[in-house]
Amino acid sequence: MTAIIEVRDVKKSYRMGKVLVPALSGVSFNVDDGKFLAIFGPSGSGKSTLLHLLGGLDRPDEGEILIDGTNILKLSDADLAELRLNKIGFIFQFFNLLPRLTALKNVELPLAIVGASDKEALERAREMLRFVNLGARENHRPYEMSGGEQQRVAIARALVNSPKIILADEPTGNLDTKTGREIVQLMKKLNKEKRQTFIVVTHDPRIAKEADRTIYLRDGLIENTEEAGAAKEE
């Protein structure tokens, strides 16, 4: 199977005053196309730093990151922004919806950025909202929806451009247990039906148990990896 993401000896540190704090200390792994990968570990393990690097939101101090065969560290800022727009969808813990826009308009936003026609943007946004079971809520604003519904809107927005890769940062972290379970199952459904690659950063063992593969991070290093099966809880 072809690797859609290759991470090679990636290192990243942050300066806090006079102290240099390592976040990642030499991380290497591949992600096969169409797989569901969980990056699991305690707070401070380097999970979110790694996800930001994979999404081109930050750059490592050392190492290489290849997305669909392209070394993203060699791209200009403009080319990197285009790659993110066309190949990567982002799902965040706090939804990041625009409060004055309806669910439909929030989902249409990425299509407007890439220059889709009004008709195409409307049709595709409605299709995605129906896919996440929110067709009846398209004219509601975020404050009129539950946390789970807002996260479904955020997922629809991340998927509307049909990116090859979805990066999710603690997508169940702001939800109750029942709603979190529903979001996990929705992501699995999308992964299987649309064959998009999911990489989910989490400390939620429910997600780790559902993944095709789980990478356990601790103190900026890969502690171990586990293929599909029962994931250990922390």
Side-chain angles (χ1 to χ4, degrees):
M1 187 169 289
T2 303
I4 193 168
I5 295 178
E6 300 171 64
V7 178
R8 301 172 180 169
D9 197 25
V10 164
K11 300 177 182 179
K12 181 67 178 179
S13 296
Y14 295 100
R15 185 167 295 280
M16 300 181 67
K18 295 182 178 180
V19 179
L20 195 63
V21 179
L24 296 170
S25 302
V27 171
S28 298
F29 62 92
N30 291 346
V31 184
D32 289 336
D33 192 15
K35 292 296 184 179
F36 192 111
L37 173 72
I39 300 174
F40 186 74
S43 297
S45 61
K47 304 187 304 296
S48 291
T49 294
L50 179 55
L51 198 76
H52 292 166
L53 296 177
L54 295 177
L57 301 176
D58 200 356
R59 294 179 182 265
D61 301 326
E62 298 180 36
E64 293 183 321
I65 299 174
L66 280 70
I67 303 292
D68 207 14
T70 298
N71 187 342
I72 65 173
L73 307 182
K74 295 183 178 180
L75 296 178
S76 66
D77 289 344
D79 288 339
L80 186 57
E82 184 174 353
L83 180 141
R84 283 196 302 264
L85 188 61
N86 293 304
K87 291 194 175 183
I88 301 174
F90 293 92
I91 303 170
F92 300 99
Q93 178 178 351
F94 294 103
F95 322 135
N96 289 357
L97 302 177
L98 295 182
R100 294 187 179 183
L101 298 186
T102 63
L104 185 64
K105 291 298 182 182
N106 266 285
V107 177
E108 284 184 26
L109 273 177
L111 296 168
I113 293 172
V114 298
S117 68
D118 291 346
K119 180 181 179 182
E120 181 184 7
L122 178 63
E123 290 175 353
R124 287 172 62 183
R126 280 181 168 160
E127 178 187 0
M128 284 310 311
L129 284 172
R130 287 195 297 268
F131 194 85
V132 300
N133 296 321
L134 282 181
R137 304 286 273 169
E138 67 176 42
N139 291 318
H140 289 72
R141 289 174 172 78
Y143 65 85
E144 299 173 308
M145 295 182 284
S146 68
E149 289 172 335
Q150 290 182 64
Q151 190 61 291
R152 286 173 181 267
V153 174
I155 290 171
R157 181 184 59 189
L159 293 166
V160 75
N161 271 347
S162 300
K164 299 184 74 171
I165 300 165
I166 306 296
L167 302 179
D169 192 358
E170 299 284 6
T172 62
N174 203 34
L175 302 173
D176 62 68
T177 300
K178 179 178 180 294
T179 305
R181 188 180 300 116
E182 292 171 354
I183 292 300
V184 172
Q185 292 307 313
L186 174 60
M187 290 191 297
K188 284 293 292 182
K189 175 185 176 183
L190 291 163
N191 170 247
K192 290 187 178 301
E193 293 187 9
K194 293 188 174 292
R195 301 303 303 161
Q196 288 162 309
T197 303
F198 272 73
I199 301 175
V200 184
V201 156
T202 186
H203 62 266
D204 185 344
R206 295 169 299 181
I207 294 179
K209 287 177 182 178
E210 292 289 341
D212 297 316
R213 181 180 173 214
T214 302
I215 291 176
Y216 295 93
L217 275 185
R218 186 180 296 277
D219 298 328
L221 292 167
I222 294 178
E223 186 175 58
N224 68 293
T225 63
E226 190 171 307
E227 299 298 324
K232 67 182 182 183
E233 296 194 19
E234 297 223 6

